[in-house]
Amino acid sequence: QSVLTQPPSVSGAPGQRVTISCTGSSSDIGAGYDVQWYQQLPGTAPKLLIFGNTYRPSGVPDRFSGSKSGTSASLAITGLQAEDEADYYCQSYDNSLSGWNVLFGGGTKLTVL
Amino acid sequence: EVQLVESGGGLVQPGGSLRLSCAASGFIVSTNDMSWVRQAPGKGLEWVSVIHSGGSPDYADSVKGRFTISRDSSRNMLYLQMNSLRVEDTAVYYCARLHDYYDSSGQPIRPSPIDYWGQGTLVTVSS
């Protein structure tokens, strides 16, 4: 089964820009499946941040943006704020196996310095 | 307002069984794909199972043959029957609603994103 690879951790100072990568393969992101990003604040359930690679649900600040190219996707956060400190997960789909195979990345912990 | 409230978690011995419930409000469970997603302590998210709006289920390989997802339309509930539990099934289990989104050209987003999550219920498998 394929895997979505994220860096375990990233950090940045308030006001800075950080990016989180999500690397897949030709059977998931590279096969044309969309990428979602979820934010999980400490002790809470995940929240949808980006869907369809680049779209933000209502209420998500435009400081958050997503992109996709080839077999990878990225989440960018500009104007970093203390409340952005959380775990971030990418999600896509794998067509290399039978059945319904949703994948999550391993997660990236964002620390605001 | 959409709400998902899980219950049924707890401590169970290896080989035991547990049934998780998810009470949905603000929408009709049978009109959406619904999933269970779990998170082991200190670990990442893992998709467990989905029941499609048409009623067909799918399972992650790690739980196939042991877990059964179901729904009760009359009660607007989602369930996860977990049998032959293993230590590695220990996790917070989230009930989740998948939603159909479309891009600017009208094409559906695939896979369907999860737009609502419950608060989670902890399942601990230990002797």
Side-chain angles (χ1 to χ4, degrees):
Chain A
Q1 187 172 4
S2 66
V3 172
L4 301 179
T5 301
Q6 298 181 233
S9 64
V10 298
S11 63
Q16 284 190 333
R17 177 181 187 270
V18 296
T19 62
I20 299 172
S21 60
C22 175
T23 303
S25 69
S26 59
S27 62
D28 42 67
I29 298 174
Y33 291 102
D34 295 303
V35 177
Q36 275 70 251
W37 290 92
Y38 298 90
Q39 176 194 58
Q40 187 175 32
L41 296 171
T44 69
K47 166 193 166 186
L48 181 63
L49 205 60
I50 297 287
F51 68 91
N53 310 311
T54 61
Y55 299 94
R56 284 186 308 276
S58 171
V60 173
D62 60 5
R63 302 186 297 105
F64 295 90
S65 63
S67 63
K68 173 187 163 183
S69 178
T71 59
S72 296
S74 288
L75 172 71
I77 310 172
T78 58
L80 207 55
Q81 299 179 3
E83 56 261 37
D84 297 334
E85 190 159 288
D87 294 323
Y88 293 84
Y89 295 91
C90 61
Q91 179 209 33
S92 189
Y93 187 87
D94 171 27
N95 69 3
S96 65
L97 301 171
S98 62
W100 197 81
N101 298 290
V102 164
L103 298 174
F104 286 100
T108 298
K109 181 175 182 57
L110 168 62
T111 300
V112 181
L113 303 170
Chain B
E1 180 194 4
V2 171
Q3 274 197 315
L4 298 168
V5 179
E6 302 95 336
S7 61
L11 174 63
V12 61
Q13 292 189 335
S17 297
L18 213 54
R19 188 177 87 151
L20 305 184
S21 300
C22 172
S25 57
F27 74 103
I28 300 172
V29 161
S30 60
T31 62
N32 290 78
D33 286 7
M34 298 291 297
S35 268
W36 289 95
V37 177
R38 69 184 179 183
Q39 186 171 34
K43 303 295 184 183
L45 302 171
E46 179 188 16
W47 169 72
V48 173
S49 180
V50 64
I51 184 165
H52 300 286
S53 56
S56 62
D58 276 299
Y59 302 94
D61 286 345
S62 57
V63 307
K64 201 171 293 183
R66 300 187 299 122
F67 290 12
T68 302
I69 190 171
S70 63
R71 67 189 184 199
D72 184 334
S73 299
S74 64
R75 297 187 175 195
N76 214 34
M77 297 282 293
L78 180 72
Y79 302 101
L80 187 67
Q81 177 66 43
M82 304 185 295
N83 298 330
S84 303
L85 281 161
R86 305 167 179 169
V87 170
E88 55 265 34
D89 294 319
T90 295
V92 172
Y93 285 73
Y94 293 102
C95 168
R97 185 183 87 162
L98 283 67
H99 186 69
D100 285 334
Y101 287 93
Y102 298 86
D103 64 21
S104 56
S105 61
Q107 294 302 305
I109 302 300
R110 289 291 178 261
S112 297
I114 295 172
D115 66 341
Y116 283 96
W117 301 70
Q119 85 287 353
T121 186
L122 177 62
V123 172
T124 303
V125 185
S126 174
S127 54

